Amino acid sequence: MFEQSIPRIILLSLLSMFLFPDQSRAQVSFSVNVGLNQSWMQFSDPAGHSAEGNRPLTRFNADLLLHVPLVQGLYVVPGVRYITKGANLTAGDDGEFTRRLEVRYLEIPVCLTYKVPVSFGRITIGAGPYAAYGLNGNNRMQVYNGGNVVSTTDYSVGFSRDVNKGIYPGTRLNRWDVGGQAVLGIEFNNLMMAGVHYSRGIRNLDLSGNSTIRNYSVGVSLGIMFSREDY
């Protein structure tokens, strides 16, 4: 399946950096970015809870990126990203039941990026795959009655085939997520950076096979380049 090939694509992209001529390797630069992302899930569970009532979850993310030139203006940009994804889910006609699901990932994105010179720096446009490893997570369930919280229960997210260690009874979460992303940004002449990204998971994260759970995320970031190969 295509989703099973994405980790191989990422690995080959990372290994390809070491196959460039010595001159190209010397031009590799790197950057650090921090930002906020809003994530949500395509979510349909056995109880009928779906994307209806699915509100975005806003959390922090941080990236370390390499910028490896291929040909004039074209780069491969692999990286390591810490990111939290999830959703706020509401069930019931009056919102009597809510669930806040958060999963923290170590993500490896690889983008093929084109950088367009402008007077104030460069505009960057890129796209590519990502693979993400689930570190941990939590699931907060609250029950409402008459607009008041009557009970709150916190669960740890389990990455296991054990039916009692999932995000709720009967649903287990796959630790690995894979998907694609698109990025748009600006690299300023003073080495500051700003950008936006959108990612979409293609793997069904539910190991039980009874649900469909996929990650979606959009975010903004600010960063700094510690070197620029064109300087």
Side-chain angles (χ1 to χ4, degrees), residues 37-86:
N37 68 284
Q38 285 197 321
S39 61
W40 63 100
M41 289 181 168
Q42 181 191 72
F43 195 107
S44 178
D45 67 20
H49 310 140
S50 65
E52 183 178 359
N54 187 337
R55 296 180 292 109
L57 177 74
T58 303
R59 289 295 183 267
F60 164 86
N61 62 267
D63 310 340
L64 174 63
L65 302 175
L66 295 178
H67 302 257
V68 183
L70 300 178
V71 296
Q72 184 66 36
L74 189 63
Y75 295 72
V76 59
V77 183
V80 178
R81 173 180 294 146
Y82 175 83
I83 188 169
T84 300
K85 296 182 180 181

Side-chain angles (χ1 to χ4, degrees), residues 1 13-15 20 27 37 55 72 80 121 145 163 176 185 209 212:
M1 296 177 62
S13 298
L14 293 172
L15 290 175
F20 296 134
Q27 295 174 340
N37 68 284
R55 296 180 292 109
Q72 184 66 36
V80 178
N145 186 9
V163 297
W176 285 97
T212 297

Side-chain angles (χ1 to χ4, degrees), residues 18-216:
F18 299 99
L19 302 180
F20 296 134
D22 290 341
Q23 183 179 2
S24 294
R25 287 205 300 270
Q27 295 174 340
V28 170
S29 57
F30 70 97
S31 64
V32 173
N33 304 319
V34 295
L36 292 175
N37 68 284
Q38 285 197 321
S39 61
W40 63 100
M41 289 181 168
Q42 181 191 72
F43 195 107
S44 178
D45 67 20
H49 310 140
S50 65
E52 183 178 359
N54 187 337
R55 296 180 292 109
L57 177 74
T58 303
R59 289 295 183 267
F60 164 86
N61 62 267
D63 310 340
L64 174 63
L65 302 175
L66 295 178
H67 302 257
V68 183
L70 300 178
V71 296
Q72 184 66 36
L74 189 63
Y75 295 72
V76 59
V77 183
V80 178
R81 173 180 294 146
Y82 175 83
I83 188 169
T84 300
K85 296 182 180 181
N88 290 293
L89 298 158
T90 302
D93 294 337
D94 299 318
E96 304 95 349
F97 174 92
T98 64
R99 179 163 66 247
R100 186 184 69 203
L101 175 61
E102 303 180 47
V103 183
R104 288 166 282 277
Y105 289 97
L106 187 64
E107 190 170 282
I108 307 296
V110 176
C111 277
L112 189 63
T113 301
Y114 189 71
K115 302 188 179 186
V116 182
V118 292
S119 60
F120 51 83
R122 295 187 294 192
I123 295 175
T124 64
I125 304 170
Y130 75 82
Y133 179 81
L135 300 171
N136 53 53
N138 56 276
N139 183 25
R140 167 163 289 192
M141 304 176 70
Q142 293 184 311
V143 178
Y144 289 78
N145 186 9
N148 299 313
V149 177
V150 295
S151 70
T152 299
T153 307
D154 289 307
Y155 300 91
S156 294
V157 170
F159 302 102
S160 169
R161 294 188 178 275
D162 188 323
V163 297
N164 297 316
K165 294 184 178 180
I167 58 175
Y168 58 87
T171 299
R172 289 93 68 194
L173 203 65
N174 197 318
R175 187 181 292 274
W176 285 97
D177 182 28
V178 294
Q181 67 165 358
V183 297
L184 176 65
I186 300 173
E187 295 176 358
F188 295 100
N189 287 329
N190 63 1
L191 301 184
M192 297 297 294
M193 304 172 63
V196 296
H197 71 266
Y198 169 78
S199 68
R200 177 174 180 173
I202 63 173
R203 163 166 282 186
N204 181 4
L205 301 178
D206 178 20
L207 287 173
S208 70
N210 296 322
S211 306
T212 297
I213 305 173
R214 290 189 175 93
N215 278 322
Y216 294 78

